[in-house]
Amino acid sequence: MNDYFETLMANVKAQNPSEPEFHQAVEEVLGSLSIVLERHPEYRSMKILERMVEPERVITFRVPWMDDQGEIHINRGFRIEMNSAIGPYKGGLRFHPSVTLGILKFLAFEQVFKNALTTLPMGGGKGGSDFDPKGKSDNEIMRFSQSFMTELFRHIGPNTDVPAGDIGVGAREIGFLYGQYKRLKNESTGVLTGKGINWGGSLIRPEATGFGVVYFTQEMLKTRDTDFEGKTVAVSGFGNVAWGAVQKVNELGGTVVTLSGPDGFVYDPDGVKDEKVDYLLKLRASNKDAVEDYSKEFKVEFFPGKRPWGVKVDVALPCATQNEIYENDAKELVKNKCYCVCEGANMPTTIEGYKVFTEAGILYAPGKASNAGGVATSGLEMSQNSMRLPWPREEVDNRLHEIMIRIHNTCLTTAEKFGTPGNYVNGANIAGFLKVADAMLDQGLV
Amino acid sequence: MRKSSTLDQIKHFSLENVFSSRIKKFQKLMRYKIREILLVSSIYDNYLFEEDGRLYELIREEYQNLNLSQAPEIIHVTTGMEALELLREKNEFDMIMITLHIEDMHPTVFARQVKEIDNSLPIMLLAYDNRERKELMLNYNTDVFSRIFIWGGDYHLLIGMVKCVEDRLNVETDTESIGVQVIILVEDNVRFYSSYLPIIYTEVFKQAQRLIREGVNTTHRYLRMRARPKILLCTNYEEAWECFEKYKEYVLGIIADNNFKKDGHRDPEAGLKLAAAVKAELKDIPILIQTSDQTIAEKAKEVDASFLLKNSPRLLHDLRKFMMDNFGFGDFILKSPDGKEVARASNLKDLAKELKNISDESLLYHAEGNHFSKWLKARTEFWLAHQLRPRKVSDFASTKELRKELISAINSYVSDRSRGVISDFDKDSFDIFNSFARIGGGSLGGKARGLGFIGSLIANYNINNLFEGVTISVPSAVVIGTEVFDSFISENNLEIFALNATDDLLITKRFIEAPYFPQSIIEKLTGFLDIVKVPLAVRSSSLLEDSQFQPFAGVYNTYMLPNSNEDKKVRLDELIKSIRCVFASTFHKKAKDYMKATSYRLEEEKMAVIVQRLVGNERSGKFYPNFSGVAKSYNFYPVPPQKSDDGIALVALGLGKTVVEGGNTVRFCPRFPKHLLQFFSTKETIKNAQQDFYALDLSGKPLHSGDDVSDSMVKKYDLGSAEKDGTLFQVGSTYSPENDAVYDGISREGMRVVTFAPILKHEVFPLAEILNLLLELGTWGMGSQVEIEFAVNLDVPKDNPKEFAMLQMRPLVISGEIEELAVDDYKEEELICHSDKVLGNGATENIYDIVFVDIKKYDRGKSKEAAREINKLNSKLVEQKNPYILIGVGRWGSLDPWLGIPVTWDQISGAAAIVESGFADFNVTPSQGSHFFQNITSFKIGYFTVNSFIKVGFIDWDWLLKQNPVEELKFTKHIHFDKPLSIKINGHKNKGVITKPGN
């Protein structure tokens, strides 16, 4: 098996020179799949892996535009359509001077599996340009976006490839891109997600990730025959994800007792409820990256410079940033009898922390699976666009709920099937892969 | 491409514009002055001259009394030979006076010889009595003398003689230049005109002096005196008529004898004939016939001339009355066409007022005649006289239009005139909108000087109304001169205490309780508060502040007062307390510490205080301008397409305290107002935007209790109250969390943030253009880079222009910024690093530590680990208080771990300079924008971008790797040196070096 992987990697490196990020991504994903390949020799003989590492299509194009001073600039545009086995390509556009083929390829590659995990019919792709939006005027951004879309429009479509936003592509840019697409194609469709609510966007997008995490956690708790009712929860962060999580935990009967920021954390034993939840919005919109004001406003204790994992809670939902649960924090949580950790952020737990959790045998879910709520909502936006019917909040919420349940169950059953019951990490990694691989098998040599 | 054509236009315009630089015009008047007189007379004659005292001193005193500049020097010799010798040696004389008795030669002989040396030198003959004179004239040719006078024992004659010559020499240029007026005096009786000339001159001087009053300081007074009416002495009809013909436009009036030569022989009706002839040409010219013959009176009336009896005991009185009535020296008498008086005006403001009310006929009568002009010229208001010169109603659409234009010309002139001039405070003439006046003597201090300078720039170059719908000005202020500070300190015996005390609160308390405050100042301030009833800012203006080399910004205190209490005594009390507090802040710790860093001594420091109208409006109990800001003409951290000398501006809603304290503001380059670095993503927008603002609480009470030295009346308010006040809509945007987007303006639902989008993107107000112009004007005017402070009030009554107020302008000099460091003179082996892409400026010495990423070991995939290591080392060095140089691979602070090392600001806060090096295989552009970058600019950290692999700059990796590290982690090393290394950055060229220790 090792030889097989080594040859595969060697080929990848040879075929994609100077793209170390892509090599690493491939290595990580495929490295976790040795057990899968053992059970599915057909993947090897049908060269599924070799096919997966080769994008279905890579489009690079010229994007010329004029700045406000009349100077002409030329940037390069990319769209990597990685894999459409289970649905139209789906992935964001990034406008950033660091954008290169290698970076986008690695992002597209990861996107394939992330999207597959959502159980929605979404393939994987990524795109962008080496354009730097920082310091540009609105008109320059508009001109660039229009030039970009003037090429891209012929390659995308609601049933083909549905880009979204990413670094450097926010609501403003999506607006300009969408406007140009409509003008060129003369159709009003869900060709981009992340649109404004007025013209095709979906509700609850900001909270979706947070809701998703809590729904996922609820399913995890069900495996131990319990739920959120009466549970204490530690949440880190105070942004969109945390806000969504807090709302949903409250709804399900739990109590969130911590919030944190780069400045420290606040401990509110009464729980972050009612007007305190609204206050979170204010805190979010303020320019201070700090939670201290919360403690002043509601007269609770503030712990400067510390993370919230030392507090005694039942459930921990890290929603702030990567690398926020170190080995010590993990040990503290375990010591305090926290028995469920579900990631809202991307990779908040360090490797050492992860080891502590696994050794203690507590419930642990990786962000890859549990924070798919955000991506799922993109899919729901596409659904609403196809139906031409915007759903009310409750409907979106319900659908999201269903999706999270499906993701959870998929992860769990897959983990069981492959000999590591309860290991959501393995379950997530493998489940996404299997879905795509099986679809590719079914669809012939394409 | 630089668009400085507006500035060029302004400069061009003003130099061409005859009336804009008015004082310059006055300076050009009276080019020919009698500075040195050669007096040739016998010793006895001299004795006679000096009967009343030393001639020269008498004359000088008289000059001072009459507000005339520089009295002439008198060199006295007793013989013609001596005189001629002096002349031959060095002819510096402007005039020669000679008496009939000189030792060695006859005056005519002398005079002829003088003419051979210098033909243009005027020679005046002084005789003692008529008989002598007549004899002389009969027997000799006296043409060689310019004039003959009879010495009556009055030294004033000499002054008259000097002025007479000067007037003759200057009349042509001065009339042409600004229209100085001319009085023609026709008199051939030598004795009479010898005694009369000085009288009439004195009268003219006195009147002129009296009228040059309003809003003018001492310097200007002297200059304006040069524009007083000139007197041309004529002795016969032809001469008089010639003068009249030549200076017709400018003739103020004619004072004539009746009996003088016409056509070569005496004509007893010459005066009347002259009067008739003049009246035939210009019927409005006042003529005074002086004669000893009473019977002429009737005839004089017939030709519409006034009449004066020469030997009347009330000669002077009648002359004065004539001049007052006819030469415009008195009140302006508004008449109906039949001659009846309908109103009077004694100054410009009154005149404007009366013009509103008089009948159309009266208006036309005065407008079509020369009446306004004359009256105005008597007051040396030539520019306005030109505006109001004789006009026909046919020039206008209607009499109503004419009236409107006249009134508005006067009113705008009155307000214009006071701008740009720092006059002594006078309650009656102070314009509460924009006057600048002083109270008390001494210096005005740096800040006030800056303000005065701005005012004069604006006035002289007509910047005020350059932008339609906007007025640019300096808000009115009075400056309390440093002498008041001096006397306050000395009378209260505070000097020793203040210099030595270290407790700021105690100092303030003592200053507030000090018993003595100069009474005269209190009176003036009372007068000020009588007319100014709006909120005030009381600001320091120290002697050393804003001097060319020390910025002193924010070292002394500013206080703001609502100035709204009904009880005037309370308002006065608050104001004086604030002034005392500003005095006290001269000696506060902050100031003392600051002073230690300069080469000045605290004893040298003196404090003037500016009491200035606060710019803004009252809105629900608080007072604030729509927005305030600071703009610098030079930017050390330019982001393309900006260049360094495009400058940078910071603006905030409300009072400028937000900007000064380094709070969240909108940062933009006035040349590229639509390129806003801070707002490129919604997250950054929210992080960087202003969330609250400062305003003056009008209901609050100023504490001054000594509990707090800072200003307690200025409070923070949130954006909600700005939205209620209606001030948010010009500067606000809306963040929609649902859409995760920021929309310009506040018409949509969502959280409000301040981005200034309506102004910068949608041009609701020409802020960027105004700043561009003022920064250019400032750098040109001050000859250096400048920083300006300003406030803007957009909520003005309908049809009024919006107000852009300049609050300060100072040269942009912070130690290190002015020097251009020589960074090219180093050899590569002396350096650790050099680059041509460096941001920042200045030199930093005394760095002993370097933290760097080992380029050989570094793996792009392990950037997060590297970040953790850096964090560790940073914490260590911060605790040790050792600043260090941080050298790394890829982009610092990158969000993307593949591109660089994803540290956050606090993880590298101890770095004094940051070096960003490229990868071998990957070109990284410098990370600008975002909070990370903003911190770099705020903390003035040098930022080097190097990619030695593609030959952009240089890092001596080999040398670094050879050093023995103090601490070595997986990817990073910390090295420490015993000798310091230094960082030198030349911000003008964006070049920098880091030298090895010991270099």
Side-chain angles (χ1 to χ4, degrees):
Chain A
M1 193 53 57
N2 272 341
D3 293 332
Y4 174 63
F5 274 124
E6 265 177 47
T7 332
L8 183 66
M9 275 320 298
N11 277 336
V12 167
K13 284 186 184 161
Q15 294 274 50
N16 303 282
S18 304
E19 292 177 13
E21 305 88 356
F22 184 51
H23 309 161
Q24 180 144 345
V26 172
E27 201 158 1
E28 270 175 16
V29 168
L30 302 187
S32 64
L33 296 177
S34 48
I35 183 169
V36 175
L37 287 174
E38 270 171 37
R39 291 207 202 166
H40 293 266
E42 65 276 20
Y43 293 161
R44 218 172 132 169
S45 58
M46 294 303 286
K47 302 257 172 67
I48 293 293
L49 291 191
E50 288 84 338
R51 286 199 267 164
M52 269 184 183
V53 299
E54 190 65 34
E56 286 181 25
R57 196 172 300 106
V58 171
I59 306 163
T60 80
F61 51 98
R62 174 174 68 199
V63 188
W65 59 281
M66 197 178 278
D67 69 19
D68 286 343
Q69 279 70 27
E71 287 279 318
I72 295 177
H73 300 266
I74 294 103
N75 286 94
R76 184 173 291 178
F78 302 90
R79 186 66 181 168
I80 307 209
E81 295 175 333
M82 201 70 188
N83 192 306
S84 61
I86 60 172
Y89 308 106
K90 184 92 191 71
L93 292 170
R94 178 182 286 202
F95 289 166
H96 197 268
S98 65
V99 161
T100 60
L101 200 58
I103 292 203
L104 292 180
K105 242 193 238 174
F106 119 71
L107 290 169
F109 188 71
E110 288 193 345
Q111 196 76 39
V112 172
F113 303 109
K114 207 165 167 191
N115 290 352
L117 203 53
T118 66
T119 71
L120 288 173
M122 300 195 291
K126 202 81 177 175
S129 168
D130 55 2
F131 170 76
D132 187 358
K134 280 186 207 153
K136 302 279 189 299
S137 69
D138 282 350
N139 286 343
E140 287 171 338
I141 302 266
M142 181 178 72
R143 267 181 249 121
F144 175 80
S145 305
Q146 290 176 339
S147 179
F148 185 87
M149 185 50 88
T150 305
E151 175 55 45
L152 192 66
F153 85 99
R154 67 197 86 211
H155 307 289
I156 60 176
N159 301 317
T160 319
D161 185 351
V162 182
D166 194 84
I167 294 177
V169 177
R172 174 178 60 170
E173 290 74 18
I174 295 282
F176 292 146
L177 290 166
Y178 186 66
Q180 186 70 348
Y181 179 88
K182 224 166 21 74
R183 184 126 197 247
L184 293 165
K185 261 320 226 320
N186 200 20
E187 63 180 40
S188 197
T189 57
V191 67
L192 292 168
T193 57
K195 303 190 289 297
I197 305 261
N198 280 351
W199 37 281
S202 174
L203 287 170
I204 79 162
R205 203 156 35 91
E207 306 96 299
T209 313
F211 285 7
V213 173
V214 175
Y215 284 140
F216 196 97
T217 315
Q218 190 181 46
E219 296 308 304
M220 290 166 83
L221 292 175
K222 276 198 195 145
T223 66
R224 301 255 173 119
D225 289 321
T226 180
D227 56 29
F228 266 107
E229 198 63 48
K231 302 287 184 301
T232 49
V233 181
V235 165
S236 66
F238 63 100
N240 277 340
V241 182
W243 181 54
V246 164
Q247 283 181 59
K248 206 39 91 174
V249 168
N250 288 342
E251 221 181 284
L252 298 179
T255 311
V256 175
V257 296
T258 67
L259 292 168
S260 78
D263 57 329
F265 80 95
V266 296
Y267 175 55
D268 187 350
D270 295 329
V272 182
K273 295 187 195 290
D274 311 313
E275 79 273 12
K276 297 178 188 173
V277 179
D278 296 327
Y279 186 77
L280 265 185
L281 252 185
K282 241 181 113 183
L283 208 54
R284 236 180 54 201
S286 90
N287 44 32
K288 282 189 268 182
D289 223 355
V291 280
E292 195 176 349
D293 286 355
Y294 180 98
S295 73
K296 290 193 192 137
E297 180 81 14
F298 300 109
K299 315 274 187 294
V300 295
E301 214 177 332
F302 170 67
F303 298 84
K306 299 248 187 289
R307 288 182 289 271
W309 314 121
V311 172
K312 181 166 175 23
V313 290
D314 303 312
V315 177
L317 303 177
C319 297
T321 178
Q322 62 192 57
N323 293 338
E324 51 163 331
I325 298 187
Y326 290 86
E327 196 175 354
N328 293 344
D329 303 301
K331 285 190 177 150
E332 285 279 296
L333 283 167
V334 168
K335 202 168 74 172
N336 281 326
K337 306 264 199 297
C338 166
Y339 56 87
C340 182
V341 175
C342 190
E343 294 183 345
N346 278 327
M347 309 201 287
T349 314
T350 60
I351 304 199
E352 298 82 30
Y354 172 61
K355 285 204 193 107
V356 170
F357 289 145
T358 28
E359 268 165 41
I362 64 172
L363 291 166
Y364 168 81
K368 188 182 285 200
S370 48
N371 72 16
V375 185
T377 315
S378 274
L380 293 177
E381 182 175 336
M382 284 162 72
S383 310
Q384 290 171 75
N385 291 153
S386 300
M387 289 173 64
R388 301 205 178 277
L389 192 66
W391 293 329
R393 296 181 68 90
E394 299 72 29
E395 174 91 38
V396 185
D397 195 0
N398 285 339
R399 299 268 176 191
L400 179 62
H401 193 178
E402 285 167 15
I403 291 172
M404 296 315 295
I405 295 177
R406 280 207 297 273
I407 300 178
H408 172 269
N409 293 342
T410 311
C411 287
L412 208 53
T413 41
T414 311
E416 173 105 36
K417 235 171 50 167
F418 285 83
T420 53
N423 186 331
Y424 287 95
V425 177
N426 273 354
N429 281 339
I430 297 171
F433 172 81
L434 283 180
K435 192 164 179 207
V436 176
D438 288 340
M440 285 171 78
L441 275 183
D442 291 347
Q443 290 170 15
L445 195 64
V446 294
Chain B
M1 267 192 283
R2 294 285 153 268
K3 283 191 266 193
S4 55
S5 52
T6 323
L7 184 64
D8 289 339
Q9 273 170 25
I10 288 172
K11 289 191 225 168
H12 187 66
F13 163 77
S14 72
L15 287 173
E16 303 248 294
N17 188 333
V18 170
F19 300 108
S20 64
S21 182
R22 295 163 205 155
I23 292 305
K24 273 220 206 102
K25 281 292 164 193
F26 284 116
Q27 281 171 330
K28 292 213 177 90
L29 298 176
M30 300 211 41
R31 295 291 276 307
Y32 295 104
K33 277 189 138 320
I34 305 292
R35 287 185 214 286
E36 286 207 37
I37 303 174
L38 180 60
L39 173 59
V40 193
S41 71
S42 69
I43 303 177
Y44 181 64
D45 290 340
N46 212 39
Y47 179 72
L48 289 181
F49 285 141
E50 307 210 336
E51 229 182 317
D52 296 331
R54 283 219 58 221
L55 197 62
Y56 175 60
E57 273 164 23
L58 289 170
I59 293 181
R60 195 158 53 128
E61 210 180 293
E62 186 63 12
Y63 263 66
Q64 275 179 346
N65 286 341
L66 298 174
N67 245 321
L68 303 171
S69 53
Q70 208 66 38
E73 297 263 352
I74 304 179
I75 310 285
H76 177 232
V77 297
T78 52
T79 64
M81 288 306 292
E82 266 181 274
L84 289 168
E85 230 176 85
L86 276 175
L87 281 172
R88 283 194 200 100
E89 231 175 88
K90 261 194 312 175
N91 182 8
E92 288 171 341
F93 297 106
D94 303 301
M95 185 167 122
I96 301 183
M97 288 184 189
I98 183 165
T99 62
L100 277 178
H101 314 124
I102 50 173
E103 272 177 45
D104 54 346
M105 56 179 83
H106 196 267
T108 47
V109 170
F110 170 76
R112 267 195 290 277
Q113 289 196 31
V114 168
K115 287 289 177 192
E116 273 168 38
I117 301 173
D118 182 351
N119 197 26
S120 63
L121 200 54
I123 310 173
M124 312 294 237
L125 179 66
L126 277 170
Y128 285 111
D129 58 48
N130 241 346
R131 201 168 51 97
E132 228 180 23
R133 181 194 62 84
K134 276 194 190 139
E135 215 177 284
L136 177 77
M137 290 186 76
L138 240 93
N139 299 326
Y140 294 89
N141 185 353
T142 52
D143 289 345
V144 77
F145 298 112
S146 311
R147 279 271 183 252
I148 304 175
F149 290 89
I150 291 186
W151 173 254
D154 186 356
Y155 68 89
H156 289 96
L157 173 61
L158 293 175
I159 299 176
M161 285 162 72
V162 167
K163 291 298 163 190
C164 190
V165 171
E166 284 180 351
D167 281 357
R168 272 282 173 188
L169 290 171
N170 291 308
V171 64
E172 200 168 333
T173 351
D174 288 2
T175 45
E176 203 177 297
S177 157
I178 56 168
V180 168
Q181 295 178 289
V182 170
I183 300 171
I184 300 179
L185 177 64
V186 191
E187 182 61 64
D188 62 344
N189 182 322
V190 179
R191 181 187 288 286
F192 186 71
Y193 74 57
S194 299
S195 63
Y196 198 60
L197 198 62
I199 292 176
I200 195 174
Y201 265 112
T202 310
E203 192 55 32
V204 166
F205 292 150
K206 284 214 177 108
Q207 294 296 348
Q209 189 187 3
R210 182 176 66 78
L211 295 170
I212 300 168
R213 199 184 61 99
E214 297 172 41
V216 168
N217 61 29
T218 330
T219 323
H220 291 177
R221 228 176 287 254
Y222 277 124
L223 290 174
R224 280 179 181 254
M225 280 302 285
R226 293 189 192 179
R228 49 116 187 125
K230 303 222 171 321
I231 303 177
L232 299 177
L233 175 62
C234 308
T235 49
N236 61 48
Y237 189 98
E238 286 69 31
E239 210 183 334
W241 187 253
E242 198 189 315
C243 281
F244 173 69
E245 286 277 280
K246 194 163 181 200
Y247 302 112
K248 210 186 302 197
E249 262 178 82
Y250 309 105
V251 173
L252 182 56
I254 301 184
I255 300 174
D257 184 22
N258 198 24
N259 187 344
F260 50 85
K261 279 201 182 137
K262 182 173 188 294
D263 299 323
H265 43 258
R266 211 153 260 288
D267 184 342
E269 306 246 304
L272 290 165
K273 286 188 186 145
L274 181 63
V278 166
K279 286 280 183 184
E281 298 233 0
L282 291 172
K283 66 174 168 64
D284 271 342
I285 295 206
I287 303 185
L288 176 67
I289 308 274
Q290 300 178 138
T291 162
S292 20
D293 185 354
Q294 174 71 41
T295 58
I296 304 294
E298 277 299 312
K299 294 204 185 142
K301 237 200 252 176
E302 272 166 38
V303 291
D304 194 23
S306 305
F307 172 80
L308 192 63
L309 204 56
K310 268 192 186 174
N311 32 27
S312 157
R314 293 159 35 98
L315 177 69
L316 187 56
H317 172 266
D318 292 342
L319 174 67
R320 191 173 289 154
K321 184 164 186 310
F322 174 75
M323 288 167 96
M324 290 279 264
D325 290 345
N326 292 290
F327 286 177
F329 289 139
D331 293 340
F332 191 96
I333 301 172
L334 292 140
K335 296 192 181 131
S336 51
D338 58 10
K340 236 181 27 190
E341 173 176 329
V342 290
R344 281 185 172 241
S346 53
N347 59 44
L348 282 174
K349 275 193 191 160
D350 285 350
L351 180 61
K353 209 164 55 161
E354 294 300 333
L355 280 178
K356 283 202 196 120
N357 303 327
I358 57 171
S359 68
D360 282 351
E361 294 80 33
S362 290
L363 183 76
L364 287 172
Y365 168 66
H366 289 297
E368 286 174 0
N370 201 8
H371 311 164
F372 295 127
S373 261
K374 188 166 64 180
W375 188 76
L376 290 167
K377 285 189 178 183
R379 284 150 183 75
T380 66
E381 302 292 6
F382 290 91
W383 189 78
L384 188 55
H386 176 77
Q387 294 278 86
L388 302 186
R389 65 192 177 280
R391 318 275 210 99
K392 294 208 180 20
V393 70
S394 52
D395 291 344
F396 294 87
S398 66
T399 316
K400 192 158 150 225
E401 280 294 313
L402 170 60
R403 188 193 296 262
K404 203 164 133 206
E405 166 145 345
L406 291 176
I407 295 174
S408 101
I410 296 176
N411 281 334
S412 56
Y413 182 74
V414 169
S415 82
D416 269 6
R417 192 181 49 184
S418 59
R419 280 189 291 126
V421 170
I422 305 177
S423 48
D424 297 323
F425 175 70
D426 177 348
K427 187 170 154 178
D428 294 322
S429 57
F430 191 79
D431 178 349
I432 53 172
F433 203 62
N434 45 23
S435 264
F436 204 70
R438 68 182 306 148
I439 292 180
S443 165
L444 296 173
K447 204 177 276 171
R449 245 181 278 131
L451 287 175
F453 178 66
I454 301 170
S456 71
L457 273 184
I458 294 177
N460 283 336
Y461 295 98
N462 262 319
I463 307 290
N464 179 280
N465 295 316
L466 210 59
F467 293 89
E468 200 179 315
V470 180
T471 169
I472 302 177
S473 62
V474 175
S476 57
V478 285
V479 184
I480 299 172
T482 52
E483 270 179 26
V484 179
F485 173 79
D486 286 338
S487 94
F488 179 83
I489 300 280
S490 63
E491 294 290 327
N492 289 310
N493 283 323
L494 287 168
E495 185 164 4
I496 310 283
F497 161 72
L499 282 174
N500 294 319
T502 50
D503 182 346
D504 288 354
L505 292 178
L506 182 61
I507 297 174
T508 306
K509 191 161 179 288
R510 282 279 282 274
F511 272 64
I512 291 178
E513 292 169 0
Y516 170 79
F517 195 90
Q519 187 58 31
S520 59
I521 306 300
I522 295 183
E523 279 161 19
K524 285 258 163 69
L525 288 175
T526 311
F528 176 73
L529 288 178
D530 273 342
I531 46 178
V532 178
K533 297 185 179 122
V534 293
L536 299 169
V538 180
R539 309 163 73 185
S540 66
S541 174
S542 79
L543 210 53
L544 303 173
E545 201 172 349
D546 297 348
S547 73
Q548 283 283 347
F549 304 103
Q550 301 290 351
F552 275 80
V555 172
Y556 303 120
N557 288 356
T558 296
Y559 296 92
M560 294 191 179
L561 299 173
N563 194 29
S564 55
N565 200 304
E566 274 141 18
D567 185 348
K568 198 171 90 174
K569 192 157 182 319
V570 172
R571 289 163 53 209
L572 181 64
D573 218 34
E574 288 175 12
L575 177 59
I576 293 186
K577 264 211 191 129
S578 301
I579 296 172
R580 287 165 181 264
C581 285
V582 173
F583 284 166
S585 73
T586 319
F587 301 99
H588 283 175
K589 185 165 185 306
K590 201 163 156 201
K592 284 182 175 151
D593 286 345
Y594 195 89
M595 198 64 79
K596 281 191 206 133
T598 70
S599 56
Y600 294 104
R601 295 159 54 77
L602 187 53
E603 299 163 296
E604 295 177 289
E605 177 68 301
K606 290 188 204 297
M607 184 66 71
V609 179
I610 304 177
V611 179
Q612 188 168 43
R613 167 177 75 83
L614 202 56
V615 175
N617 256 349
E618 186 198 328
R619 311 169 220 268
S620 353
K622 48 194 191 306
F623 189 94
Y624 60 99
N626 285 80
F627 60 91
S628 321
V630 163
K632 294 189 230 254
S633 60
Y634 200 85
N635 178 14
F636 282 112
Y637 297 96
V639 176
Q642 302 164 7
K643 296 212 179 42
S644 288
D645 49 14
D646 288 333
I648 190 83
L650 297 148
V651 285
L653 165 69
L655 290 170
K657 196 165 170 191
T658 315
V659 181
V660 165
E661 285 185 344
N664 275 13
T665 57
V666 172
R667 201 184 143 93
F668 69 97
C669 173
R671 286 218 188 272
F672 304 102
K674 301 196 166 122
H675 291 66
L676 297 167
L677 200 63
Q678 298 157 286
F679 303 133
F680 71 94
S681 79
T682 50
K683 186 156 165 232
E684 290 297 315
T685 302
I686 295 167
K687 255 171 128 185
N688 292 327
Q690 188 186 357
Q691 300 281 339
D692 43 42
F693 67 100
Y694 282 107
L696 179 65
D697 179 358
L698 292 175
S699 62
K701 280 201 195 349
L703 290 180
H704 294 323
S705 62
D707 288 342
D708 189 349
V709 293
S710 66
D711 192 341
S712 55
M713 313 263 327
V714 172
K715 303 205 173 103
K716 246 191 194 172
Y717 298 88
D718 65 33
L719 294 184
S721 48
E723 191 164 353
K724 273 204 215 99
D725 290 340
T727 48
L728 189 60
F729 97 91
Q730 293 116 338
V731 301
S733 292
T734 307
Y735 168 67
S736 159
E738 289 179 314
N739 288 310
D740 194 30
V742 175
Y743 301 111
D744 294 344
I746 57 172
S747 56
R748 301 200 216 199
E749 290 285 316
M751 310 230 76
R752 306 295 184 216
V753 286
V754 173
T755 59
F756 277 78
I759 289 179
L760 296 174
K761 289 196 208 169
H762 308 292
E763 292 165 17
V764 150
F765 178 80
L767 180 62
E769 290 100 317
I770 293 177
L771 288 177
N772 271 330
L773 177 71
L774 291 173
L775 287 173
E776 273 199 60
L777 194 64
T779 43
W780 176 71
M782 280 194 152
S784 72
Q785 301 292 344
V786 293
E787 180 175 64
I788 62 177
E789 258 182 60
F790 56 91
V792 174
N793 193 17
L794 300 173
D795 298 322
V796 292
K798 189 162 181 281
D799 291 339
N800 277 31
K802 304 188 165 70
E803 187 187 356
F804 181 100
M806 289 279 281
L807 301 177
Q808 199 160 341
M809 176 150 78
R810 52 176 165 252
L812 187 63
V813 176
I814 298 174
S815 54
E817 280 198 33
I818 199 176
E819 311 157 43
E820 265 208 50
L821 291 171
V823 295
D824 293 326
D825 307 337
Y826 289 92
K827 299 202 223 19
E828 217 167 72
E829 53 261 25
E830 294 171 322
L831 299 176
I832 300 174
C833 166
H834 74 73
S835 168
D836 286 352
K837 284 191 179 171
V838 184
L839 300 178
N841 192 54
T844 316
E845 318 277 336
N846 300 329
I847 308 284
Y848 295 87
D849 297 86
I850 299 183
V851 171
F852 71 98
V853 173
D854 187 340
I855 198 173
K856 299 249 158 70
K857 294 191 188 160
Y858 182 66
D859 179 343
R860 260 204 291 160
K862 301 277 187 290
S863 58
K864 290 178 198 159
E865 260 193 73
R868 283 201 285 276
E869 292 180 9
I870 304 271
N871 185 25
K872 189 158 169 265
L873 293 170
N874 179 66
S875 312
K876 177 178 82 170
L877 286 164
V878 165
E879 220 180 281
Q880 292 173 356
K881 293 210 208 304
N882 283 338
Y884 62 96
I885 296 176
L886 182 60
I887 304 180
V889 202
R891 186 190 297 218
W892 285 109
S894 165
L895 286 174
D896 189 327
W898 286 106
L899 290 183
I901 307 190
V903 290
T904 51
W905 178 257
D906 52 298
Q907 293 173 322
I908 55 162
S909 54
I914 300 179
V915 180
E916 174 177 281
S917 162
F919 297 115
D921 56 345
F922 199 76
N923 199 8
V924 172
T925 51
S927 45
Q928 305 201 2
S930 87
H931 240 138
F932 188 84
F933 182 63
Q934 287 192 319
N935 278 326
I936 292 182
T937 57
S938 315
F939 289 100
K940 298 201 191 327
I941 293 182
Y943 201 89
F944 289 68
T945 301
V946 174
N947 191 339
S948 13
F949 305 101
I950 56 172
K951 299 276 182 291
V952 170
F954 157 80
I955 295 182
D956 195 342
W957 286 110
D958 293 331
W959 181 86
L960 279 172
L961 291 167
K962 267 197 249 166
Q963 304 303 315
N964 222 355
V966 162
E967 188 170 343
E968 182 170 354
L969 301 171
K970 194 159 169 209
F971 302 107
T972 52
K973 289 195 174 122
H974 163 213
I975 44 184
H976 178 88
F977 301 96
D978 294 322
K979 292 215 184 80
L981 28 85
S982 67
I983 310 164
K984 288 198 169 68
I985 304 175
N986 182 329
H988 298 266
K989 300 196 180 131
N990 294 115
K991 282 188 178 177
V993 297
I994 301 179
T995 60
K996 290 183 179 151
N999 282 63

